[in-house]
Amino acid sequence: MSTGYFLQQCLNALTVSAFYSLVAVAYVLMHGVTRRFSLAFGALAVWSGYVVINISLWLMVRMPYATVLPVGLAAIFAVIETAAVGHVTERLVVRPLIRQPSLAMLVATLGLALVLEELMRIQNGSRELWLQPILNVPMRIGGSDAFPILVTPIQIIVLAIAIGLCALIVAFISHHPFGRVWRATSQDPVMAELAGVDVGRVVGASFALAAASAGAAGALLAIYYGAVSFYFGLVIGLKTLFVAVVGGLDSVRGAFAGALMLGVLETFWSGYVSAEYRDVASFVVLTGLLILFPAGLFAGARRVDHA
């Protein structure tokens, strides 16, 4: 294989990693303040994807000569709505179980994921949805005639937005006052409460922010690939849960690093071996890393990213 082909795979891996990063950080945001896992973030990402495509198609009928604007408006609406769904489900499902055994949270959020997936399936008649491709004309940015390096405008836009959102989340947790109370709650919720922190509000805001991050990933996935299916939620959720655990679960940056590892693994496995067993290879490698590093590869960053 040529250098051009290798660089093309690197570019593709970066794009895939950006999607995984946004969902993986959702697990970190929730686990940091509850020490519990939610299995609903994959379903929330797919929920957002369905909203993007449905709203985009609805707007395109009413704006027949526009494509980018309807999709952009639909994406913004989808992220806001997914954050609202996250806030409501935190009140109804997550908060009553925070002081219960962790298994109760796992079962309840798995049930929540199934409910969301079934709602998506019923609402859309058990159909996968497809969105009209936009800004998808390839541009050559390097390589050789045998293996040119190609990129589409939508890939550049989606990648830039995803990286920008990741950087924004890191900056928000590191420097915003909410980030300080989030870190305090993560390190010692009892002491934080004694110091005047409203832990309940921190948990609610964290889950809403986590849902918005997962929603942004789902919206970008729907726009980039032009398709979404209700049964993707469980696979996406499990992969990114593994990624978050590999990253150390207390580090936003660790989640991003773990997502980059998964994106590189999946892309290069598909490009050089076979796409057929990509998911199997991903879970095998992630499971092996958890066996070798049960606390995560970046567990040393337990202070949750002051930088």
Side-chain angles (χ1 to χ4, degrees), residues 45-297:
V46 176
W47 176 281
S48 178
Y50 265 102
V51 172
V52 167
I53 294 182
N54 277 311
I55 297 297
S56 295
L57 296 176
W58 184 82
L59 288 174
M60 286 178 180
V61 171
R62 288 152 181 80
M63 305 167 65
Y65 300 104
T67 54
V68 176
L69 180 60
V71 171
L73 293 175
I76 294 172
F77 178 82
V79 173
I80 295 173
E81 191 205 30
T82 306
V85 171
H87 179 70
V88 171
T89 55
E90 184 274 334
R91 285 298 186 97
L92 297 178
V93 178
V94 175
R95 190 170 299 191
L97 298 175
I98 287 179
R99 301 186 187 278
Q100 301 300 318
S102 58
L103 184 60
M105 182 74 75
L106 285 175
V107 173
T109 54
L110 176 59
L112 173 61
L114 294 175
V115 168
L116 292 174
E117 289 179 359
E118 283 299 294
L119 286 174
M120 289 182 277
R121 183 185 66 80
I122 294 170
Q123 177 66 28
N124 295 279
S126 300
R127 294 179 294 110
E128 295 184 9
L129 294 185
W130 296 85
L131 182 65
Q132 173 186 343
I134 59 172
L135 303 176
N136 65 335
V137 179
M139 302 181 298
R140 180 173 174 175
I141 59 173
S144 62
D145 292 335
F147 291 103
I149 302 174
L150 303 176
V151 65
T152 61
I154 192 62
Q155 184 177 12
I156 296 173
I157 293 171
V158 166
L159 183 58
I161 292 174
I163 293 175
L165 289 174
C166 292
L168 184 62
I169 291 172
V170 170
F172 184 73
I173 294 298
S174 299
H175 304 296
H176 192 272
F178 173 79
R180 289 196 293 271
V181 297
W182 184 85
R183 293 196 299 272
T185 304
S186 174
Q187 292 164 15
D188 192 335
V190 175
M191 184 58 68
E193 201 160 30
L194 290 174
V197 175
D198 188 338
V199 172
R201 291 186 63 183
V202 173
V203 172
S206 298
F207 200 87
L209 180 60
S213 182
L220 293 175
L221 277 167
I223 294 171
Y224 182 69
Y225 291 107
V228 67
S229 178
F230 56 88
Y231 60 82
F232 285 168
L234 182 60
V235 175
I236 293 174
L238 288 176
K239 282 184 181 180
T240 49
L241 174 58
F242 271 65
V243 164
V245 175
V246 168
L249 273 177
D250 290 314
S251 172
V252 174
R253 289 182 173 181
F256 294 150
L260 180 61
M261 291 172 54
L262 178 59
V264 170
L265 169 64
E266 288 196 347
T267 302
F268 279 84
W269 181 276
S270 299
Y272 287 94
V273 184
S274 171
E276 185 176 358
Y277 295 102
R278 179 191 62 195
D279 290 343
V280 175
S282 299
F283 282 118
V284 167
V285 171
L286 291 172
T287 302
L289 288 174
L290 290 179
I291 293 173
L292 294 173
F293 305 96
L297 291 175

Side-chain angles (χ1 to χ4, degrees), residues 14-38:
L14 188 60
T15 306
V16 173
S17 300
F19 297 140
Y20 285 144
S21 295
L22 290 169
V23 185
V25 77
Y27 287 102
V28 174
L29 289 170
M30 178 183 173
H31 184 270
V33 293
T34 64
R35 292 295 182 257
R36 298 289 186 268
F37 295 107
S38 170

